[in-house]
Amino acid sequence: MAWVLKMDEVIESGLAHDFDASLSGIGQELGASAYSMSDVLALPIFKQEDSSLPPDSETKHPPFQYVMCAATSPAVKLHDETLTYLNQGQSYEIRMLDNRKIGDMPEISGKLVKSIIRVVFHDRRLQYTEHQQLEGWKWNRPGDRLLDLDIPMSVGVIDIKTNPSQLNAVEFLWDPGKRTSAFIQVHCISTEFTPRKHGGEKGVPFRIQVDTFKQTENGEYTDHLHSASCQIKVFKPKGADRKQKTDREKMEKRTAHEKEKYQPSYDTTILSECSPWPDTPTAFVNNSPTPTPTFTSAQHSTYSVPDSNSSSPNHQGDGTSQGSGDQLQPSATIQETQQWLLKHRFSTYTRLFSNFSGADLLKLTREDLVQICGPADGIRLYNALKSRSVRPRLTIYVCQEPLRSIQLERQQDATNGDNSNGAIYVYHAIYLEEMAASEVTRKLALVFNIPLHQINQVYRQGPTGIHILVSDQMVQNFQDESCFLVTTIKAENGEGFHIILK
């Protein structure tokens, strides 16, 4: 037993000696030279991670910078977006600065670019119902605009345009090489879009967004260059100054440690880069509030006839043929889907459906669209996707009467027993929704490619060949699916034509 205990002591002492020997060099190695972090960072694993980061030279450099001359709020936390308070109707300068490096975008040097400034909702929930919100504001404030440009105070802006159908946007041209400042006025206040409850409600934030485009080869400013935006709240006159003072006083009462969690207030607001607004910049080409029919001269005997969809309120006489190509196809790309939404007056929802292809949109059910877009626009979008047109109140068929010489030739051929040139009268359907004489005139002009302004009167041939003026009351008494031969006669004064329905 004593021998066993002695052997255990020998083994333990040997293991302890070996372990001490194995550790003896550690302290010496560390003490031999100073510990270097650069040596550690030079290891392959750290080199690999570092190489994946973009170098400073590759950092994206925006071509433009927009600076609004209005102070930011001091009551914004460090990592939150800045917030700027504006007074309703007061002019605020937005400086349009050329931020390009030497050699950047030489194609726009010495040329004009176009910028569109918008005031839009910051809250995504309100973005989904923007159209309804703005329509309600327009109803309560007839004749007013949400955003205006103070032209006398602005510098360097050219060809300023505002669209009566887009009350929240203005556009202009400017030269990046020259000093340019646009003075804007916001006329809506944040509390106008807050549900009225007990008073003192918190107003909703807006966004000021600037989108800039360069000119394409066809002369249109549709090539996107840069977009930036900032968050704002709009108060009644002098309300922004009071709110800024209140925020400043609140911050002064905080401890130094608490102040470190908040951003300082800056004298100006720099708009930060963002995605372009989904509306197309060509929306301002036509300044007329109502679309004017356009016509082309007929070079063939066949005419393009409006589809039954032309009687729908969705196609309020835009003067173009609406055919099966108007339907959204499952194979449509994301860009084609965006264009389809814009064409059918769903611009409010282009941002919401910015990643939807044609197939994605067509998969949505009626209930899905109502939940996303609300009852009114949801049902309208569903009907548009399914190509459901409004049923016309009256349908008439018209055919252009052949020339008298052609009639005589056909009668002669029929007398001689030659039926090879038998007359085939092709009728065109006209779908009426308004049951008005003006709509009959407009649809006839579309069918027969006659400029609308050249049609003086439309008559219906009555008993003994008399000409009866077509009035609204006469149209309302037309039999459904009536057939008419259409002929034209030159007006007495030599200007324009009269159309006769036989």
Side-chain angles (χ1 to χ4, degrees):
M1 189 68 180
W3 179 79
V4 174
L5 292 173
K6 188 175 181 180
M7 285 297 296
D8 290 341
E9 290 176 359
V10 172
I11 292 172
E12 287 179 2
S13 62
L15 289 173
H17 180 270
D18 292 341
F19 184 69
D20 291 341
S22 64
L23 296 177
S24 62
I26 294 179
Q28 293 175 1
E29 291 176 6
L30 287 175
S33 61
Y35 178 78
S36 175
M37 191 65 185
S38 62
D39 293 338
V40 178
L41 293 175
L43 292 173
I45 184 172
F46 289 104
K47 284 186 176 181
Q48 184 177 1
E49 289 183 4
D50 187 59
S51 63
S52 65
L53 297 174
D56 294 339
S57 59
E58 294 181 9
T59 304
K60 187 178 179 181
H61 187 76
F64 304 108
Q65 191 175 58
Y66 317 116
V67 180
M68 184 165 62
C69 296
T72 60
S73 168
V76 177
K77 292 190 176 180
L78 275 177
H79 301 293
D80 291 346
E81 185 181 9
T82 60
L83 176 61
T84 305
Y85 302 133
L86 304 183
N87 287 317
Q88 179 188 24
Q90 182 174 327
S91 296
Y92 290 92
E93 179 184 9
I94 297 181
R95 296 173 183 169
M96 317 290 289
L97 304 177
D98 187 354
N99 199 36
R100 293 175 296 160
K101 293 181 179 179
I102 297 176
D104 285 356
M105 295 186 181
E107 68 273 12
I108 65 172
S109 297
K111 295 184 179 179
L112 299 175
V113 295
K114 179 170 78 170
S115 288
I116 302 176
I117 302 179
R118 294 178 175 86
V119 55
V120 295
F121 289 112
H122 173 77
D123 188 351
R124 188 169 294 277
R125 177 182 58 83
L126 290 173
Q127 289 177 8
Y128 295 155
T129 58
E130 180 179 280
H131 178 71
Q132 293 92 323
Q133 297 287 343
L134 297 185
E135 284 296 315
W137 188 89
K138 181 181 177 181
W139 178 265
N140 294 323
R141 304 268 298 271
D144 289 348
R145 293 183 55 83
L146 282 84
L147 182 70
D148 267 327
L149 198 66
D150 191 340
I151 299 175
M153 294 189 68
S154 299
V155 178
V157 295
I158 307 169
D159 195 17
I160 302 163
K161 293 180 182 178
T162 57
N163 192 327
S165 64
Q166 297 194 18
L167 305 178
N168 61 331
V170 295
E171 75 164 40
F172 54 85
L173 304 179
W174 59 287
D175 186 347
K178 297 180 181 179
R179 180 197 165 197
T180 304
S181 289
F183 282 78
I184 62 166
Q185 297 171 338
V186 183
H187 298 291
C188 56
I189 60 176
S190 295
T191 53
E192 286 185 281
F193 300 96
T194 304
R196 305 295 179 185
K197 293 181 182 178
H198 307 293
E201 290 84 6
K202 187 177 180 181
V204 300
F206 301 118
R207 300 196 69 80
I208 293 290
Q209 175 153 340
V210 182
D211 299 291
T212 299
F213 305 84
K214 69 178 180 180
Q215 196 173 24
T216 58
E217 294 180 355
N218 59 7
E220 296 181 354
Y221 290 88
T222 55
D223 195 352
H224 178 259
L225 290 173
H226 182 246
S227 293
S229 65
C230 67
Q231 185 182 190
I232 64 167
K233 277 191 176 182
V234 185
F235 297 82
K236 290 183 178 180
K238 298 187 178 179
D241 305 318
R242 290 192 294 269
K243 178 61 175 172
Q244 187 81 356
K245 181 181 177 181
T246 302
D247 285 357
R248 188 168 58 249
E249 290 174 349
K250 285 182 180 179
M251 292 305 300
E252 289 173 355
K253 294 178 182 179
R254 296 182 182 273
T255 63
H257 179 69
E258 289 177 332
K259 288 180 181 178
E260 291 176 357
K261 300 178 182 178
Y262 291 84
Q263 302 179 22
S265 176
Y266 299 99
D267 293 335
T268 58
T269 303
I270 298 177
L271 279 66
S272 55
E273 284 193 281
C274 65
S275 300
W277 193 254
D279 284 351
T280 55
T282 54
F284 291 86
V285 172
N286 181 14
N287 286 330
S288 175
T290 55
T292 304
T294 55
F295 307 94
T296 55
S297 57
Q299 298 180 356
H300 305 282
S301 58
T302 57
Y303 302 94
S304 59
V305 186
D307 187 79
S308 60
N309 288 338
S310 64
S311 63
S312 168
N314 294 349
H315 309 82
Q316 296 174 357
D318 56 358
T320 57
S321 296
Q322 305 291 344
S324 59
D326 229 17
Q327 186 176 359
L328 182 66
Q329 301 298 324
S331 59
T333 63
I334 292 176
Q335 185 178 4
E336 290 170 344
T337 303
Q338 291 285 303
Q339 292 173 351
W340 184 90
L341 289 168
L342 291 168
K343 183 178 180 182
H344 290 77
R345 299 184 296 114
F346 293 105
S347 59
T348 306
Y349 306 103
T350 50
R351 175 171 287 188
L352 176 62
F353 297 119
S354 59
N355 293 320
F356 279 64
S357 65
D360 296 332
L361 204 56
L362 288 166
K363 288 177 183 177
L364 296 177
T365 64
R366 185 177 184 272
E367 290 72 21
D368 293 335
L369 293 171
V370 168
Q371 186 175 2
I372 294 170
C373 306
D377 281 345
I379 294 172
R380 188 167 68 87
L381 179 54
Y382 178 79
N383 289 338
L385 289 170
K386 304 302 177 184
S387 294
R388 292 189 175 185
S389 59
V390 178
R391 185 175 181 84
R393 297 174 64 186
L394 179 68
T395 302
I396 61 175
Y397 304 110
V398 294
C399 173
Q400 191 171 23
E401 187 178 35
L403 297 176
R404 188 169 184 81
S405 58
I406 297 177
Q407 284 181 319
L408 292 174
E409 289 178 6
R410 287 173 176 170
Q411 290 174 1
Q412 187 176 358
D413 292 338
T415 305
N416 297 333
D418 184 6
N419 293 324
S420 60
N421 293 325
I424 299 177
Y425 294 97
V426 179
Y427 281 80
H428 304 288
I430 290 182
Y431 303 104
L432 301 177
E433 176 62 28
E434 299 176 7
M435 300 285 284
S438 58
E439 188 182 13
V440 174
T441 305
R442 182 169 58 83
K443 295 290 178 69
L444 287 171
L446 284 173
V447 168
F448 298 114
N449 293 305
I450 304 172
L452 186 62
H453 66 274
Q454 290 189 8
I455 300 177
N456 293 345
Q457 298 291 350
V458 177
Y459 300 103
R460 181 178 182 179
Q461 185 169 297
T464 67
I466 62 173
H467 295 161
I468 308 168
L469 182 65
V470 174
S471 62
D472 293 347
Q473 189 174 3
M474 178 183 287
V475 174
Q476 293 165 9
N477 284 279
F478 278 171
Q479 293 291 327
D480 194 25
E481 297 192 334
S482 299
C483 298
F484 297 99
L485 285 175
V486 176
T487 186
T488 58
I489 58 173
K490 200 164 186 63
E492 298 80 3
N493 56 6
E495 297 180 1
F497 301 91
H498 300 312
I499 292 181
I500 302 173
L501 304 178
K502 297 182 180 180

